Short mmCIF file of all heavy atoms in Angstrom, two decimals:
data_model
loop_
_atom_site.label_atom_id
_atom_site.label_comp_id
_atom_site.label_asym_id
_atom_site.label_seq_id
_atom_site.Cartn_x
_atom_site.Cartn_y
_atom_site.Cartn_z
N VAL A 11 -1.50 54.08 96.55
CA VAL A 11 -2.56 53.13 96.86
C VAL A 11 -2.74 53.10 98.37
O VAL A 11 -1.79 52.85 99.12
CB VAL A 11 -2.22 51.72 96.34
CG1 VAL A 11 -3.32 50.73 96.71
CG2 VAL A 11 -2.01 51.74 94.83
N SER A 12 -3.95 53.37 98.82
CA SER A 12 -4.26 53.35 100.25
C SER A 12 -5.75 53.07 100.39
O SER A 12 -6.41 52.65 99.44
CB SER A 12 -3.88 54.68 100.91
OG SER A 12 -4.05 54.63 102.31
N ASN A 13 -6.29 53.30 101.59
CA ASN A 13 -7.74 53.21 101.76
C ASN A 13 -8.32 54.60 101.99
O ASN A 13 -7.58 55.58 102.10
CB ASN A 13 -8.11 52.23 102.89
CG ASN A 13 -7.53 52.65 104.23
OD1 ASN A 13 -7.42 53.83 104.55
ND2 ASN A 13 -7.16 51.67 105.04
N GLU A 14 -9.63 54.69 102.07
CA GLU A 14 -10.27 55.99 102.15
C GLU A 14 -9.93 56.74 103.43
O GLU A 14 -9.97 57.97 103.47
CB GLU A 14 -11.79 55.84 102.01
CG GLU A 14 -12.24 55.50 100.60
CD GLU A 14 -13.74 55.49 100.44
OE1 GLU A 14 -14.45 55.60 101.47
OE2 GLU A 14 -14.21 55.38 99.29
N THR A 15 -9.61 56.02 104.50
CA THR A 15 -9.27 56.68 105.75
C THR A 15 -7.80 57.09 105.82
O THR A 15 -7.40 57.80 106.73
CB THR A 15 -9.57 55.77 106.96
OG1 THR A 15 -8.66 54.66 106.95
CG2 THR A 15 -10.99 55.26 106.92
N LYS A 16 -6.99 56.60 104.88
CA LYS A 16 -5.54 56.85 104.88
C LYS A 16 -4.88 56.27 106.12
O LYS A 16 -3.81 56.73 106.54
CB LYS A 16 -5.23 58.34 104.75
CG LYS A 16 -5.85 59.02 103.52
CD LYS A 16 -5.50 60.49 103.49
CE LYS A 16 -6.12 61.17 102.28
NZ LYS A 16 -7.61 61.23 102.39
N ASN A 17 -5.49 55.27 106.70
CA ASN A 17 -4.98 54.66 107.92
C ASN A 17 -4.82 53.15 107.70
O ASN A 17 -5.80 52.47 107.39
CB ASN A 17 -5.93 54.94 109.09
CG ASN A 17 -5.38 54.48 110.42
OD1 ASN A 17 -4.23 54.78 110.76
ND2 ASN A 17 -6.17 53.75 111.18
N LEU A 18 -3.59 52.64 107.86
CA LEU A 18 -3.31 51.21 107.67
C LEU A 18 -3.72 50.73 106.28
O LEU A 18 -4.19 49.61 106.09
CB LEU A 18 -4.01 50.38 108.75
CG LEU A 18 -3.66 50.75 110.20
CD1 LEU A 18 -4.49 49.93 111.19
CD2 LEU A 18 -2.18 50.59 110.47
N GLY A 19 -3.49 51.59 105.29
CA GLY A 19 -3.97 51.31 103.94
C GLY A 19 -3.03 50.50 103.06
O GLY A 19 -3.40 50.16 101.93
N ALA A 20 -1.82 50.17 103.54
CA ALA A 20 -0.92 49.36 102.71
C ALA A 20 -1.50 47.99 102.42
O ALA A 20 -1.17 47.36 101.40
CB ALA A 20 0.44 49.22 103.41
N SER A 21 -2.39 47.52 103.28
CA SER A 21 -3.00 46.20 103.09
C SER A 21 -3.89 46.15 101.86
O SER A 21 -4.32 45.06 101.45
CB SER A 21 -3.81 45.79 104.33
OG SER A 21 -4.84 46.73 104.59
N CYS A 22 -4.16 47.30 101.24
CA CYS A 22 -4.98 47.31 100.01
C CYS A 22 -4.34 46.49 98.89
O CYS A 22 -5.04 46.05 97.98
CB CYS A 22 -5.21 48.74 99.54
SG CYS A 22 -6.38 49.67 100.56
N ILE A 23 -3.03 46.28 98.94
CA ILE A 23 -2.39 45.48 97.88
C ILE A 23 -2.87 44.03 97.93
O ILE A 23 -2.70 43.29 96.95
CB ILE A 23 -0.86 45.53 97.96
CG1 ILE A 23 -0.33 44.86 99.23
CG2 ILE A 23 -0.35 46.96 97.84
CD1 ILE A 23 1.18 44.73 99.28
N LEU A 24 -3.50 43.62 99.03
CA LEU A 24 -4.05 42.27 99.15
C LEU A 24 -5.48 42.16 98.65
O LEU A 24 -5.97 41.06 98.42
CB LEU A 24 -4.01 41.82 100.62
CG LEU A 24 -2.65 41.69 101.28
CD1 LEU A 24 -2.82 41.40 102.76
CD2 LEU A 24 -1.83 40.61 100.62
N TYR A 25 -6.16 43.29 98.50
CA TYR A 25 -7.57 43.24 98.12
C TYR A 25 -7.72 42.57 96.75
O TYR A 25 -6.89 42.79 95.85
CB TYR A 25 -8.15 44.65 98.03
CG TYR A 25 -8.34 45.39 99.33
CD1 TYR A 25 -7.84 44.91 100.54
CD2 TYR A 25 -9.03 46.60 99.35
CE1 TYR A 25 -8.02 45.62 101.71
CE2 TYR A 25 -9.22 47.31 100.52
CZ TYR A 25 -8.71 46.82 101.69
OH TYR A 25 -8.89 47.52 102.86
N PRO A 26 -8.77 41.81 96.57
CA PRO A 26 -9.01 41.19 95.27
C PRO A 26 -9.08 42.22 94.14
O PRO A 26 -9.76 43.24 94.26
CB PRO A 26 -10.36 40.48 95.46
CG PRO A 26 -10.46 40.24 96.94
CD PRO A 26 -9.79 41.43 97.58
N HIS A 27 -8.33 41.97 93.09
CA HIS A 27 -8.37 42.74 91.83
C HIS A 27 -7.75 44.13 91.91
O HIS A 27 -7.71 44.83 90.89
CB HIS A 27 -9.82 42.88 91.32
CG HIS A 27 -10.57 41.59 91.28
ND1 HIS A 27 -10.13 40.50 90.56
CD2 HIS A 27 -11.73 41.20 91.90
CE1 HIS A 27 -10.99 39.50 90.71
NE2 HIS A 27 -11.95 39.90 91.52
N VAL A 28 -7.25 44.56 93.08
CA VAL A 28 -6.69 45.91 93.17
C VAL A 28 -5.43 46.05 92.31
O VAL A 28 -5.27 47.03 91.57
CB VAL A 28 -6.38 46.30 94.64
CG1 VAL A 28 -5.43 47.51 94.70
CG2 VAL A 28 -7.67 46.63 95.37
N MET A 29 -4.54 45.07 92.36
CA MET A 29 -3.33 45.16 91.55
C MET A 29 -3.68 45.13 90.05
O MET A 29 -3.02 45.79 89.24
CB MET A 29 -2.38 44.01 91.91
CG MET A 29 -1.80 44.10 93.31
SD MET A 29 -0.69 45.53 93.61
CE MET A 29 -1.83 46.78 94.24
N GLU A 30 -4.73 44.38 89.70
CA GLU A 30 -5.18 44.37 88.30
C GLU A 30 -5.68 45.75 87.89
O GLU A 30 -5.42 46.21 86.76
CB GLU A 30 -6.29 43.35 88.13
CG GLU A 30 -5.86 41.90 88.36
CD GLU A 30 -7.04 40.96 88.35
OE1 GLU A 30 -8.05 41.27 87.68
OE2 GLU A 30 -6.98 39.91 89.02
N LYS A 31 -6.39 46.42 88.79
CA LYS A 31 -6.90 47.76 88.48
C LYS A 31 -5.75 48.74 88.30
O LYS A 31 -5.80 49.62 87.42
CB LYS A 31 -7.83 48.23 89.59
CG LYS A 31 -9.15 47.48 89.65
CD LYS A 31 -10.00 47.97 90.81
CE LYS A 31 -11.32 47.19 90.88
NZ LYS A 31 -12.15 47.60 92.05
N VAL A 32 -4.72 48.62 89.14
CA VAL A 32 -3.56 49.49 88.98
C VAL A 32 -2.90 49.23 87.62
O VAL A 32 -2.55 50.17 86.90
CB VAL A 32 -2.54 49.26 90.12
CG1 VAL A 32 -1.27 50.08 89.87
CG2 VAL A 32 -3.15 49.63 91.48
N TYR A 33 -2.77 47.97 87.27
CA TYR A 33 -2.17 47.61 85.98
C TYR A 33 -2.98 48.20 84.82
O TYR A 33 -2.42 48.76 83.88
CB TYR A 33 -2.09 46.09 85.84
CG TYR A 33 -1.59 45.63 84.49
CD1 TYR A 33 -0.23 45.54 84.23
CD2 TYR A 33 -2.50 45.30 83.47
CE1 TYR A 33 0.23 45.14 82.98
CE2 TYR A 33 -2.05 44.90 82.23
CZ TYR A 33 -0.69 44.83 81.98
OH TYR A 33 -0.24 44.43 80.74
N GLU A 34 -4.30 48.08 84.90
CA GLU A 34 -5.15 48.60 83.83
C GLU A 34 -5.01 50.12 83.72
O GLU A 34 -5.07 50.68 82.62
CB GLU A 34 -6.61 48.24 84.11
CG GLU A 34 -6.90 46.74 83.94
CD GLU A 34 -8.29 46.37 84.43
OE1 GLU A 34 -9.02 47.28 84.88
OE2 GLU A 34 -8.63 45.17 84.38
N ARG A 35 -4.80 50.77 84.84
CA ARG A 35 -4.70 52.22 84.83
C ARG A 35 -3.39 52.70 84.21
O ARG A 35 -3.37 53.68 83.47
CB ARG A 35 -4.83 52.76 86.26
CG ARG A 35 -4.79 54.27 86.33
CD ARG A 35 -5.40 54.78 87.60
NE ARG A 35 -5.39 56.22 87.65
CZ ARG A 35 -5.89 56.93 88.64
NH1 ARG A 35 -6.47 56.33 89.66
NH2 ARG A 35 -5.83 58.25 88.62
N ILE A 36 -2.27 51.99 84.52
CA ILE A 36 -0.98 52.47 84.02
C ILE A 36 -0.51 51.70 82.79
O ILE A 36 0.40 52.14 82.11
CB ILE A 36 0.09 52.43 85.13
CG1 ILE A 36 0.39 50.99 85.56
CG2 ILE A 36 -0.34 53.26 86.32
CD1 ILE A 36 1.45 50.90 86.62
N GLY A 37 -1.12 50.53 82.52
CA GLY A 37 -0.87 49.82 81.28
C GLY A 37 0.41 49.02 81.21
O GLY A 37 0.83 48.62 80.11
N GLU A 38 1.04 48.74 82.35
CA GLU A 38 2.26 47.94 82.33
C GLU A 38 2.57 47.43 83.73
O GLU A 38 1.93 47.83 84.71
CB GLU A 38 3.44 48.76 81.81
CG GLU A 38 3.76 49.99 82.65
CD GLU A 38 4.97 50.76 82.12
OE1 GLU A 38 6.10 50.30 82.38
OE2 GLU A 38 4.76 51.80 81.45
N ASN A 39 3.53 46.51 83.83
CA ASN A 39 3.99 46.04 85.13
C ASN A 39 4.57 47.20 85.93
O ASN A 39 4.94 48.24 85.35
CB ASN A 39 5.04 44.94 84.97
CG ASN A 39 4.45 43.67 84.37
OD1 ASN A 39 3.24 43.49 84.31
ND2 ASN A 39 5.33 42.79 83.90
N PHE A 40 4.67 47.01 87.23
CA PHE A 40 5.09 48.14 88.05
C PHE A 40 5.82 47.68 89.32
O PHE A 40 5.73 46.52 89.73
CB PHE A 40 3.89 49.00 88.43
CG PHE A 40 2.74 48.24 89.03
CD1 PHE A 40 2.69 47.93 90.38
CD2 PHE A 40 1.67 47.84 88.23
CE1 PHE A 40 1.62 47.23 90.92
CE2 PHE A 40 0.58 47.14 88.77
CZ PHE A 40 0.56 46.84 90.11
N TYR A 41 6.52 48.64 89.90
CA TYR A 41 7.17 48.43 91.20
C TYR A 41 6.28 49.02 92.30
O TYR A 41 5.59 50.02 92.09
CB TYR A 41 8.54 49.08 91.24
CG TYR A 41 9.58 48.33 90.44
CD1 TYR A 41 9.96 48.78 89.17
CD2 TYR A 41 10.19 47.19 90.94
CE1 TYR A 41 10.91 48.10 88.42
CE2 TYR A 41 11.14 46.49 90.20
CZ TYR A 41 11.48 46.95 88.95
OH TYR A 41 12.42 46.26 88.22
N ILE A 42 6.33 48.38 93.46
CA ILE A 42 5.57 48.83 94.63
C ILE A 42 6.56 49.26 95.69
O ILE A 42 7.42 48.48 96.12
CB ILE A 42 4.68 47.71 95.17
CG1 ILE A 42 3.68 47.26 94.10
CG2 ILE A 42 3.94 48.16 96.43
CD1 ILE A 42 2.94 45.99 94.47
N LEU A 43 6.46 50.52 96.10
CA LEU A 43 7.34 51.05 97.14
C LEU A 43 6.54 51.14 98.44
O LEU A 43 5.51 51.83 98.50
CB LEU A 43 7.86 52.44 96.76
CG LEU A 43 9.00 52.53 95.75
CD1 LEU A 43 8.65 51.88 94.43
CD2 LEU A 43 9.42 53.98 95.54
N PRO A 44 6.96 50.43 99.50
CA PRO A 44 6.23 50.45 100.77
C PRO A 44 6.47 51.76 101.51
O PRO A 44 7.37 51.88 102.34
CB PRO A 44 6.83 49.25 101.52
CG PRO A 44 8.22 49.13 100.98
CD PRO A 44 8.14 49.55 99.54
N SER A 45 5.66 52.75 101.21
CA SER A 45 5.83 54.08 101.79
C SER A 45 5.70 54.04 103.32
O SER A 45 6.44 54.70 104.04
CB SER A 45 4.79 55.04 101.19
OG SER A 45 4.86 56.30 101.78
#
């Protein structure tokens, strides 16, 4: 998960509904690794 520029994209986890979209894609709860 990042942004289109691949620069400072970790903040995408704060965007509205992004975590929900990730959940819908993988179908279960998940761990987030701060790369």
Side-chain angles (χ1 to χ4, degrees):
V11 179
S12 186
N13 60 35
E14 288 186 351
T15 68
K16 304 179 181 68
N17 187 49
L18 303 176
S21 60
C22 287
I23 66 173
L24 297 173
Y25 289 9
H27 311 303
V28 163
M29 293 295 92
E30 295 172 28
K31 290 178 181 177
V32 175
Y33 175 85
E34 290 171 1
R35 182 160 182 178
I36 65 179
E38 60 178 281
N39 293 345
F40 51 84
Y41 286 101
I42 300 169
L43 282 58
S45 177

